[in-house]
Amino acid sequence: MRIVLGGVAVLALAIGGAGALRAQTGAGAVDARAFGAREDVRQVSISPDGKRLAMVRAAAGAGTALYVADLTGDATPRPILTSSGRPDQLTGCSWSTATRLVCNISTLMTTNGMRLGYSRVLTLNADGSDMKPLSGETRDRIDGFGQFGGGIIDFLADDAAGGDAKGGSVLMTRDYGAQMTTGSITASTASGLGVERVDTTTLRRQQVERPSGRASEYITDGHGTVRIMGITAASDSGMLRGRTTYMYRKAGDRSWQPLSVVSDDGGVSHGFDPYAVDRDANVAYGFDDHGGRQALYRVALDGSLKRELVLDRPDVDVDSLIRIGRQQRVVGASFATDRRERVIFDPALKALAASLGRALPKQPIVSIVDASADEQKLVLFAGSDVDPGSFYLFDRTAKKLSPILSVRPPLGGRTLASVKPISFKAADGTMIPAYLTLPAGSSGKGLPAIVLPHGGPGDRDEWGFDWLPQFFAARGYAVLQPNFRGSTGYGAAWFQKNGFQSWRTAIGDVNDAGRYLVSQGIAAPDKLAIVGWSYGGYAALQSAVLDPALFKAIVAIAPVTDLETLRGEHRNFTNFELVDGFIGHGAHIRDGSPAQNVDRIAAPVLLFHGDLDQNVGIGESRLMASKLRGAGKPVTFVEYKGLTHQLDDSDVRTDMLGKSDAFLRTALHIDG
């Protein structure tokens, strides 16, 4: 489905006596435009020879564009490819050679009455010429629809094997479908996920791994050899069972050996989950449980399966690998306590990270995002809580650090609000970690305040820049983001049964965040609101079911509103049984659904939702609005046409921020 609209496409429904939202003017409109603008730079990639940069940048509205800068010339970024964002989206680009790029495209289509996401990979020259589809054929003579166009799992530009004198080959997955041509002796019944070696210039293809009907993942050693395969358990009807068996190959051996089994238990995984292979050490890096929290392990791939604990924490999960270069070698790992911390294993990079930290003291969030083939030129990102961040180019030979582009130019020169890690006591005495953002220059007392629970529920907030709380802080609100029980990152016990089945605990923590703001004198009791997106929107609505008198206004963006409806949205998909188990069955389905308990909601409600949302269907907000209207409750519902869950459109986000601020100022009786 393609919907092309000019300007801000909005259908606003004022329901149940809430009245129309007043237009935002003056400083409010300026702030909404500045913070609503999407990141200008979304990705930066450097060519293998270090002479060119490719940048995926925001374009007008929901659009994205690919720019290329020649570092040997005037280095002016020039656009070579654009996408509208409605619904086609350019999601990322990387270099296959010094002059050729591969890019990922996502879109939405309606197939057999179902709205489905599709992806494709294309390749083109650095000047935009010779653009070709890199994904294998997905329609001709294929039984069914090719929803996913595969993904690149290894770049082989530095590998002359296979007759590619100029390099530029990649290994990429391909979802094969059985060919059903009647009477053809060449028809194939093979189906499933396989791997091909593809020349990104000539499109010459060579099958590397035969398609397997249950294969869901392949991991290479970074040098062109597939070493690990994931096989997902499914029923005869194709329903996923929440269990993946991983197989591996010894070096130089084509036969598969058992590695591990990973099972999902309501959102908590068990078993060694491999993420990368180190060819030289002949080990796989991955994550597994250690004392109730996730830790980093490496497992020998020599037949012994010797297991070594690499990094663990007693307080939080170790959740990310740090990788570098075209071979994506593992050089460290990271975890989030109050702030994200990184442990670098590579001595040279550890020293480099320390020196970069000293060079960028006001931007302590520093990460390596890409590197030239010889790793002498690095693309870095650096930012902080009060700095949205910038990309830099670092020349290790010349020891020169050069800025590339700022992520959010409209916020340049603004004084942003600092983010302070805190903890507060829940009703049962448990200390809940959270992040407090106070308006810059404020006393921090007697303010209008917002509790902002995160989405997920399988997620958590981290220290750093976040455009949504920063907007509200710029408008004079104190903002508290609780990592309530049901959040990830703190181990299985903290996650509990997840934020739906354990909703009373999760929402209780969210409400206790509001009580903390009042008890500390930060919030004026009559000027306390709650705002949330996705699960956060659910939490915002359900908070009023648990304690109707606490929050005086509710803003819910793309919220879950009815657990049975959420279950039904996945009924025709292969993950239905997993979603069904995650949501569970029992009294909590009705008790934990705000749309079924609107009689307890006293505060006015503002809802936002995109009509192409695949994460949470727009029917959830429509149901909530209808239920509130039927109960005579004040509600305003704003539908955004042609947008998905993230409302990834600068004009629409500006509109949403302006309407939210206006609504809150009216509901909380804030002057100005």
Side-chain angles (χ1 to χ4, degrees), residues 472-560:
F472 287 118
R475 300 299 298 143
Y477 302 88
V479 183
L480 185 59
Q481 298 168 269
N483 280 327
F484 47 85
R485 282 168 285 185
S487 304
T488 56
Y490 299 93
W494 192 265
F495 187 72
Q496 301 201 349
K497 292 183 178 180
N498 73 62
F500 290 130
Q501 297 195 47
S502 301
W503 75 266
R504 289 187 183 276
T505 300
I507 306 304
D509 291 348
V510 170
N511 284 357
D512 286 337
R515 298 184 185 101
Y516 168 83
L517 290 171
V518 174
S519 70
Q520 298 301 303
I522 298 170
D526 61 341
K527 290 181 171 51
L528 182 64
I530 186 166
V531 178
W533 200 317
S534 193
Y535 178 87
Y538 164 84
L541 294 165
Q542 192 65 9
S543 70
V545 175
L546 197 62
D547 188 346
L550 180 61
F551 297 109
K552 312 307 179 186
I554 301 167
V555 178
I557 308 162
V560 172

Side-chain angles (χ1 to χ4, degrees), residues 99 150 190 272 326 405 470 472 475 493 545 593:
T99 60
F272 176 72
R326 298 182 64 75
L405 288 170
Q470 284 289 342
F472 287 118
R475 300 299 298 143
V545 175
S593 296

Side-chain angles (χ1 to χ4, degrees), residues 350-369:
K350 184 176 182 179
L352 174 61
S355 66
L356 290 171
R358 292 190 294 270
L360 299 164
K362 296 182 179 181
Q363 296 176 302
I365 301 174
V366 181
S367 56
I368 301 172
V369 296

Side-chain angles (χ1 to χ4, degrees), residues 9 215 354 386 447 524 606 646:
V386 295
L447 300 170
L606 173 59
Q646 300 302 326

Side-chain angles (χ1 to χ4, degrees), residues 20 54 93 108 122 232 315 330 419 472 484 515 525 614 623 661 668:
C93 297
L108 289 175
L122 58 85
T232 299
D315 49 350
V330 176
V419 180
F472 287 118
F484 47 85
R515 298 184 185 101
Q614 290 183 286
L623 174 66
D661 186 32
L668 303 179

